[in-house]
Amino acid sequence: MTRLVFYHHPQAENFSLKYSSASVAEIRSQREQSDESTKLIGYPFETPVYVLYEGDSEIESAQDIDFDQEWLSDRIRDLPRPGQVVAFRLVELLEAAVDVRDEDEFRLYKEFEPQKIQQALDHVSWGAPLPTVAGEVMSNLILRHSLPNANHRTGIAMLQFCIESVEPDFEMPRTHVDDDTWREWVDPYIVDSKRLITVRRNNLRFKQLEELNVDLVERKDGIQIRLAEFELDMHWREALSEYAEQHESHCTDFAQSVLERAERDDLLDRQGPTKQEFIA
């Protein structure tokens, strides 16, 4: 029988897995030592597993978004110009994502962290082949997770901006939420991306679960991670590097697929933009 535990608490998605044990006493001790809000689930397997979840007691509604220009300017004024330009674009994209969804169902899970946008831009191989640059832009923005939500949606949009910066006439496959053809094609890329970034941040926690004979971890949206398919036995710093590389490769493959699907094979070998061309 498959032994499955949840990565996000089933009744509180802003609480995520922090510690697991077969010992009630140990899990209670970990809970007492935590400085965060916690929740606890006991999984009634033949050998029970107890999981501690940590998180914020409240999450904001999208109705609370108020990213006006003055608010945003105050938070990005210390960034170099490329970071400022991309920050404005990302916030516009986040607001657009809220507009096309039911605001009551759209939640903000963290603070806006604009400094991470500049970090993402600093790790792009500007001027490399276009699929590489576009994929790295997407990957680094997703990995830095600067926005309170919609980081994959905005990451794909920034990939589109990257391609358009060298080919203004490029037409991206439709990205509207009601475009079933687009979703059928792109969703597997997003799901695999979310698997990689979840394992990247949690390899030691997942190794602990694996040692407790847990087979699957399920994160929100029903995305399942089969632990046996991932290398977990490494230092957490090594995991950050290893899975960042895998994620970057995954997004580069996605960029290449976008160009091929748009029948723009002529752009596969085109030189990607410089940072200045990207923000122009």
Side-chain angles (χ1 to χ4, degrees), residues 36-59:
E36 307 293 333
S37 298
T38 61
K39 294 181 182 294
L40 182 62
I41 293 181
Y43 290 86
F45 305 134
E46 184 176 347
T47 304
V49 170
Y50 303 94
V51 176
L52 181 68
Y53 297 84
E54 285 184 354
D56 298 323
S57 56
E58 296 183 4
I59 48 180

Side-chain angles (χ1 to χ4, degrees), residues 85-189:
V85 171
V86 174
F88 272 109
R89 287 179 180 172
L90 287 173
V91 169
E92 289 174 349
L93 290 166
L94 175 60
E95 291 174 330
V98 173
D99 287 343
V100 298
R101 289 199 172 190
D102 183 349
E103 288 190 351
D104 291 336
E105 297 299 324
F106 199 102
R107 296 291 184 261
L108 308 182
Y109 293 102
K110 60 185 286 294
E111 294 295 322
F112 176 47
E113 298 179 272
Q115 74 281 1
K116 291 187 176 181
I117 295 170
Q118 187 60 44
Q119 295 170 12
L121 298 179
D122 288 343
H123 286 81
V124 174
S125 303
W126 301 106
L130 181 56
T132 299
V133 178
E136 289 184 5
V137 166
M138 175 182 168
S139 176
N140 280 291
L141 288 171
I142 290 172
L143 289 178
R144 266 65 183 188
H145 204 266
S146 64
L147 294 177
N149 202 330
N151 284 273
H152 279 83
R153 180 184 298 274
T154 55
I156 291 173
M158 296 307 289
L159 174 147
Q160 177 179 350
F161 286 147
C162 185
I163 298 172
E164 291 174 346
S165 69
V166 298
E167 180 50 75
D169 294 332
F170 176 76
E171 293 187 9
M172 185 80 165
R174 289 182 60 203
T175 59
H176 300 306
V177 293
D178 60 346
D179 189 330
D180 291 337
T181 301
W182 164 263
R183 295 186 66 179
E184 181 181 351
W185 171 68
V186 77
D187 278 359
Y189 282 98

